[in-house]
Amino acid sequence: MASLDTAEPQATIRDDAGTLAVALAGSWSADRAPRIEELIGEITEGLTQAGARIDLSDVTRLDTLGAYVLNRLKARQEQDGVDIELVSSRREHGILLAEVQVHDDPPKPHRHVGPIDILVDIGEGVVRFGRDMVGGAMFLGEVVVGSISVVLGPRKFRGPSLVNQIELIAFNGAPIIMLISFLVGCIVAQQGIFQLQQFGASAFVVNLTGILILRELAVLLTSIMIAGRSGSAFTAEIGSMKMREEIDALRVMGLDPIEVLVVPRILALIISLPILTFISAMAGLVGAGLVSWLYGGIGVDTFLARLQSVITWKHFAVGLIKAPFMAFVIGLIASIEGLAVKGSAESLGRQVTASVVKAIFMVIVVDGLFAMFFASIEF
């Protein structure tokens, strides 16, 4: 005779005044899975709209698989409007059934997009944007308070962290920024020469490339590169610490994460971005000068002489003035998204993506605002 734990699962099915009465017995455990599925199929076939009452009192052994299968049966039938009642005289059965949850989401119905749905999506986007702006303003306040705290208490400032971040941002990022700026300078000069040759004004390519690179392209290219390179790194670093609860550990030790993690990174960006902008501008002008010599027949001496006559300190200053503000925006967004990471790798990837997209978008917005401002004051 089989022992109680190894007894085959059984299901006695009978009609009780229109309601299906099912009495289960035996071992409803993982080692009996095939037989359990057969019995569940038989119970499903006998169900009517009146529902069913399943009694587990005689079940000798119930594990998570048996509880999951029974809860799955109950959830699926109730979606179709059939009431299933699971009862047992044994307290442990009720506890296990309550603990084992079934996440069997029904397929989402096909959505027909209409004018109302479009307006709803736009409204949700506006609400999310408003929340992001409010959250950004609150975080900006925390950063300002943390910066003031560091100024008032210099011992709190972490110099080695600042130097390390400057090395990672400026020193390690300089080669790729120089290369991209050089190539963009070459392309702008080449296209400018091809167009200006039609009017016999090839020499004006020096004006075009000099003003465009110094005022706009150098700082914009550098900021976009830093947003994608260093901004994503900041978000990933802070987000990983958030996932491993290291930020909570800092708070337990009496340290402010804003002072320890955010302030040194933002300050490093503010210092590094103007330096990289200057390097980018020089690389772009070298590329423009090289192409002007190769395609336009403008010698190096002529290029430099015309550049000196066209470019003033204002053009040079415009790009450098923009750089710290763009650096601050990049650092602020990267830190906000890093601290918004939850406990999953999916959340980390989502916040890193959001960090890069938002930072690039805001860099372009800031550049546009500065362009309007400088134009209004004729600078």
Side-chain angles (χ1 to χ4, degrees):
M1 181 177 176
S3 65
L4 291 177
D5 284 348
T6 60
E8 282 290 324
Q10 300 175 14
T12 304
I13 304 174
R14 59 185 178 84
D15 188 359
D16 185 8
T19 301
L20 197 68
V22 182
L24 305 183
S27 176
W28 285 64
S29 55
D31 56 332
R32 307 290 180 178
R35 177 57 180 163
I36 290 175
E37 291 292 349
E38 292 179 7
L39 293 175
I40 291 296
E42 294 177 6
I43 296 172
T44 303
E45 291 177 0
L47 285 174
T48 62
Q49 288 299 119
R53 185 175 187 272
I54 302 177
D55 189 354
L56 286 73
S57 300
D58 294 332
V59 172
T60 57
R61 184 183 177 192
L62 181 69
D63 64 3
T64 53
L65 182 134
Y68 174 81
V69 170
L70 292 171
N71 279 336
R72 185 187 65 188
L73 172 67
K74 177 179 173 66
R76 290 182 176 177
Q77 295 302 320
E78 287 182 347
Q79 288 176 7
D80 297 333
V82 180
D83 185 33
I84 303 293
E85 183 183 5
L86 299 176
V87 297
S88 177
S89 60
R90 301 175 63 172
R91 182 171 175 269
E92 59 269 23
H93 289 169
I95 295 174
L96 185 58
L97 289 169
E99 290 295 329
V100 177
Q101 300 296 325
V102 177
H103 301 284
D104 191 13
D105 298 330
K108 295 182 179 180
H110 179 69
R111 181 184 178 188
H112 298 281
V113 179
I116 301 299
D117 298 317
I118 295 174
L119 293 175
V120 169
D121 292 339
I122 293 174
E124 290 177 351
V126 171
V127 170
R128 284 195 301 269
F129 178 76
R131 289 175 180 171
D132 289 343
M133 293 299 293
V134 172
M138 294 172 63
F139 188 77
L140 175 60
E142 294 181 16
V143 172
V144 172
V145 171
S147 302
I148 294 173
S149 176
V150 168
V151 171
L152 297 179
R155 291 184 179 180
K156 297 179 180 180
F157 184 68
R158 303 184 179 274
S161 176
L162 174 65
V163 174
N164 178 58
Q165 292 298 329
I166 291 176
E167 179 186 3
L168 294 175
I169 297 168
F171 186 77
N172 294 347
I176 185 63
I177 288 175
M178 289 175 62
L179 176 61
I180 290 178
S181 300
F182 175 81
L183 294 175
V184 170
C186 292
I187 294 168
V188 171
Q190 182 197 45
Q191 295 301 314
I193 289 171
F194 287 165
Q195 298 303 318
L196 293 172
Q197 277 179 345
Q198 302 176 25
F199 309 98
S202 300
F204 285 98
V205 73
V206 181
N207 305 49
L208 172 67
T209 56
I211 295 175
L212 185 60
I213 289 173
L214 289 177
R215 292 183 70 101
E216 298 294 338
L217 281 184
V219 65
L220 199 56
L221 285 173
T222 303
S223 299
I224 290 174
M225 284 296 300
I226 291 301
R229 184 179 178 275
S230 300
S232 61
F234 289 176
T235 303
E237 291 167 4
I238 297 174
S240 297
M241 295 182 69
K242 183 76 178 298
M243 289 173 59
R244 295 196 294 264
E245 299 182 353
E246 294 177 17
I247 292 179
D248 295 332
L250 287 174
R251 291 193 176 98
V252 169
M253 291 187 292
L255 300 175
D256 185 1
I258 302 296
E259 297 176 5
V260 176
L261 302 174
V262 177
V263 172
R265 284 173 165 80
I266 292 180
L267 184 58
L269 274 174
I270 293 174
I271 295 172
S272 301
L273 199 56
I275 298 173
L276 291 174
T277 299
F278 173 78
I279 295 173
S280 173
M282 295 303 103
L285 291 176
V286 169
L290 179 62
V291 171
S292 298
W293 173 52
L294 294 176
Y295 284 87
I298 303 173
V300 176
D301 295 340
T302 307
F303 185 89
L304 291 176
R306 188 170 182 84
L307 193 64
Q308 289 177 354
S309 65
V310 172
I311 301 301
T312 65
W313 67 272
K314 291 183 179 180
H315 299 114
F316 184 75
V318 165
L320 296 182
I321 291 172
K322 294 178 184 178
F325 293 93
M326 292 185 176
F328 184 77
V329 169
I330 293 169
L332 198 68
I333 292 174
S335 301
I336 291 173
E337 297 300 328
L339 292 172
V341 172
K342 306 300 181 184
S344 65
E346 180 184 2
S347 173
L348 179 62
R350 184 168 56 249
Q351 299 306 136
V352 169
T353 303
S355 170
V356 174
V357 173
K358 290 179 181 178
I360 293 175
F361 173 76
M362 287 306 300
V363 159
I364 297 173
V365 170
V366 170
D367 184 73
L369 293 176
F370 268 109
M372 292 187 292
F373 171 72
F374 288 130
S376 64
I377 64 175
E378 298 181 358
F379 188 77

